[in-house]
Amino acid sequence: MKAASVAENAVMLTFGNRVDAQLTPHIMALTQLIETELVPAVVDLTPSYTTLLVTYDVLCIDEASLVERIHRLHAQLTDGSLVTVPGRHIDIPVWYDPQVGLDLLSLANARGLSVSEVIERHTRPVYQVYALGFAPGFGFLGEVDPALATPRKATPRTQVPAGSVAIADRQTAVYPRCSPGGWQIVGRTAKKLFDHEAPDSMAATLQVGDRVRFMAITEAEFLAQGGVP
């Protein structure tokens, strides 16, 4: 683990230089330790693919003391005894159809697959939530079957409907709300991924470390769940 100052009240911890599913449990275990041992001196923690951003209160602790204490906490994890698989298992029902999967046909054609093969390959894995960002409740999930890996669109859409399920390179995601976006849209879910009226800790359905499985449903099931075509 490397620690680097990135602001007068923030330190970036780096655990590797490539996406590795084994890093997420390690990063989340350290996140939980810091929450237990260093709050309220630490005011915010932002885990991501290979990093953990630690924001702290300069009136409570200085950077050198903070980093020294984090290194001591990190040493407790080195034997792996405190590292467990974090997160919950979340199923997301998806209606895969060109009516809502705006790029489903073009992606299938580009990858030399049938639509049913795209659906089968997208619903087969259990995806890990690596990071949150871009928009409230937007989780970056990985990794899709290599046969589905497709770059972002050259020209992003100005509006992507809420609930759109999308692919970009080896990542997949759900747009929690209508927004601009350049990912390849393959379906839509009626599941709510962000509730702005809920308490902050519960507003986003997905959290880093959760595991997600997409489940194919029919149009009738999508509509019955409150989906909007």
Side-chain angles (χ1 to χ4, degrees):
M1 181 189 76
K2 296 180 179 179
S5 178
V6 293
E8 61 184 7
N9 65 336
V11 172
M12 182 70 80
L13 308 178
T14 302
F15 302 85
N17 55 15
R18 63 181 177 84
V19 176
D20 181 350
Q22 301 303 314
L23 284 180
T24 299
H26 193 88
I27 293 172
M28 294 311 297
L30 182 58
T31 300
Q32 292 166 4
L33 264 181
I34 293 174
E35 285 177 341
T36 300
E37 301 293 335
L38 297 180
V39 171
V42 167
V43 297
D44 192 39
L45 293 158
T46 307
S48 189
Y49 293 90
T50 61
T51 60
L52 175 61
L53 178 66
V54 183
T55 305
Y56 60 95
D57 185 344
V58 296
L59 299 179
C60 294
I61 194 167
D62 62 77
E63 181 180 302
S65 300
L66 175 73
V67 171
E68 190 272 336
R69 293 187 66 179
I70 290 175
H71 274 295
R72 274 195 278 153
L73 294 175
H74 185 248
Q76 298 179 30
L77 302 176
T78 54
D79 63 359
S81 60
L82 297 180
V83 178
T84 57
V85 176
R88 306 152 297 161
H89 181 102
I90 297 171
D91 289 329
I92 297 181
V94 179
W95 178 34
Y96 295 91
D97 189 275
Q99 294 182 61
V100 290
L102 307 178
D103 302 305
L104 183 58
L105 289 176
S106 60
L107 185 147
N109 291 335
R111 306 310 299 172
L113 301 170
S114 66
V115 166
S116 60
E117 286 174 320
V118 171
I119 297 170
E120 194 280 327
R121 289 175 184 269
H122 191 251
T123 54
R124 186 193 306 160
V126 175
Y127 300 99
Q128 183 162 282
V129 182
Y130 281 116
L132 300 177
F134 172 64
F138 189 101
F140 292 85
L141 316 180
E143 293 178 316
V144 300
D145 185 305
L148 299 181
T150 306
R152 290 175 173 82
K153 301 179 76 65
T155 303
R157 292 185 171 89
T158 56
Q159 284 196 330
V160 174
S164 293
V165 177
I167 291 172
D169 298 317
R170 294 291 304 277
Q171 299 180 99
T172 185
V174 180
Y175 285 83
R177 59 199 308 178
C178 182
S179 69
W183 292 36
Q184 309 285 343
I185 310 301
V186 296
R188 192 175 300 172
T189 182
K191 191 176 183 70
K192 201 168 188 176
L193 274 294
F194 186 79
D195 182 359
H196 69 276
E197 296 182 345
D200 287 350
S201 60
M202 301 174 62
T205 299
L206 303 180
Q207 300 294 330
V208 175
D210 287 345
R211 296 169 299 284
V212 173
R213 184 181 61 167
F214 294 105
M215 303 173 60
I217 60 174
T218 65
E219 178 181 8
E221 291 171 321
F222 173 74
L223 296 175
Q225 292 172 11
V228 178

